[in-house]
Amino acid sequence: MGKRILVTGGAGFLGSHLCERLLQDGHDVICLDNFYTGRKDNIVHLMDHRFFELMRHDVTFPLYVEVDEIYNLACPASPIHYQFDPVQTTKTSVHGAINMLGLAKRTKAKIFQASTSEVYGDPEMHPQTEDYRGNVNPIGPRACYDEGKRCAETLFFDYHRQHRLNIRVARIFNTYGPRMLPNDGRVVSNFIVQALKGRDITIYGKGSQTRSFCYVDDLVDGIIRLMNAPDDVTGPINLGNPVEFTIMDLAKMVIELTGAKSQLVFKPLPEDDPMQRQPNIEKAKKLLGWQPSVALRQGLEKTIAYFESELSKGRF
């Protein structure tokens, strides 16, 4: 028999894929979202499923439902969105964690926190392992997200120690795929949208900074494996693709796959933008038997096809 599972941020890019997978696995899913960055289009195909329920709710307010498991994904995750209302971003991470941990404590539910590679800041260690404590600017423009997520991790481990809560924490690295927002300011969606619209592709800095890109299906598999791991596997565990690409490599691949005639335009690097970001996933390999299987070219082809479909419907 399936579990009753709450997914906060369930109408977002990552949350909608997770809801879909949990339904496929036979669970009863409550999708919770305030639709700040989530979209009904992402979950409309699930609405008629008899084990799917949608709730419009903001995690900064308490919630009273009966559940077996909670996946806490609620928080805008792209710089454009989380910097638009930085106070609310911090509240979503901190108050949201407190409210969901309180719900888990009351219902004795297992709870997962979607943390982020941003807790490492602009790293002085490469690649990043889970015991690296990071290089974060606590008063910079990205701090609302970076420090909010760091505080959420603190709360999760304090609830674990103080209340014996069954927790899981994943530090998620760059993830891409269908249902990304076209205007979210992330590099994959930016490049694809610019290429499909025949615009020049904007590169910040020299394009030599590196990122590691994980396809969404791989990431969802890692999240579920972590949630289903033995109770002593709390994390934090890095989830991401360790294969590193420069931003320039990505731009050239997008131009090739879209057949665009876009030129490259260079602009100054934003403040506190990390130069390197690559996960060490040895812990995930050892404890979860997990590693990504979708190559960047293969994942980009699927993502481009999604954006082409959205463009043909006039959605951006």
Side-chain angles (χ1 to χ4, degrees), residues 80-291:
I80 282 179
H81 293 135
Y82 68 62
Q83 290 174 6
F84 177 75
D85 188 347
V87 173
Q88 187 62 27
T89 296
T90 306
K91 281 183 175 180
T92 301
S93 284
V94 179
H95 290 189
I98 290 168
N99 287 330
M100 291 306 107
L101 287 162
L103 175 62
K105 182 186 169 192
R106 182 181 68 78
T107 58
K108 297 181 172 55
K110 189 191 301 184
I111 182 167
F112 169 91
Q113 168 65 9
S115 190
T116 171
S117 60
E118 298 293 338
V119 301
Y120 299 124
D122 189 3
E124 294 167 334
M125 170 193 231
H126 191 75
Q128 294 83 56
T129 57
E130 290 86 352
D131 57 1
Y132 176 55
R133 294 182 182 179
N135 177 35
V136 174
N137 176 1
I139 58 170
R142 300 170 72 104
C144 58
Y145 185 68
D146 303 2
E147 296 289 27
K149 290 288 193 178
R150 283 162 71 98
C151 185
E153 285 196 17
T154 301
L155 286 161
F156 265 68
F157 279 90
D158 282 339
Y159 265 78
H160 174 63
R161 286 185 287 260
Q162 190 171 334
H163 301 297
R164 306 198 186 289
L165 219 58
N166 191 343
I167 66 161
R168 308 296 152 100
V169 175
R171 291 177 178 162
I172 296 169
F173 284 68
N174 287 47
T175 304
Y176 71 99
R179 301 185 205 145
M180 294 182 83
L181 288 170
N183 63 340
D184 69 1
R186 298 191 206 189
V187 66
V188 172
S189 50
N190 268 7
F191 286 1
I192 291 173
V193 168
Q194 288 173 335
L196 291 179
K197 289 196 162 186
R199 297 174 181 165
D200 290 337
I201 286 182
T202 308
I203 292 180
Y204 294 95
K206 296 178 180 177
S208 58
Q209 65 270 43
T210 64
R211 294 293 184 271
S212 308
F213 302 103
C214 186
Y215 189 65
V216 63
D217 290 355
D218 280 335
L219 189 82
V220 166
D221 182 55
I223 288 172
I224 289 174
R225 282 177 185 240
L226 175 55
M227 195 62 144
N228 294 337
D231 288 352
D232 61 342
V233 182
T234 58
I237 286 186
N238 290 337
L239 293 180
N241 195 322
V243 181
E244 202 175 7
F245 290 88
T246 67
I247 297 301
M248 185 71 81
D249 291 336
L250 176 69
K252 289 177 178 175
M253 196 179 294
V254 167
I255 289 171
E256 179 198 338
L257 292 173
T258 56
K261 294 182 169 56
S262 306
Q263 301 297 307
L264 302 180
V265 175
F266 295 87
K267 292 190 176 180
L269 205 60
E271 184 180 348
D272 294 333
D273 194 55
M275 285 304 295
Q276 291 181 307
R277 189 54 63 70
Q278 180 191 17
N280 178 310
I281 61 165
E282 290 308 309
K283 206 169 176 181
K285 285 181 182 177
K286 180 182 174 184
L287 298 176
L288 310 179
W290 177 85
Q291 62 181 353

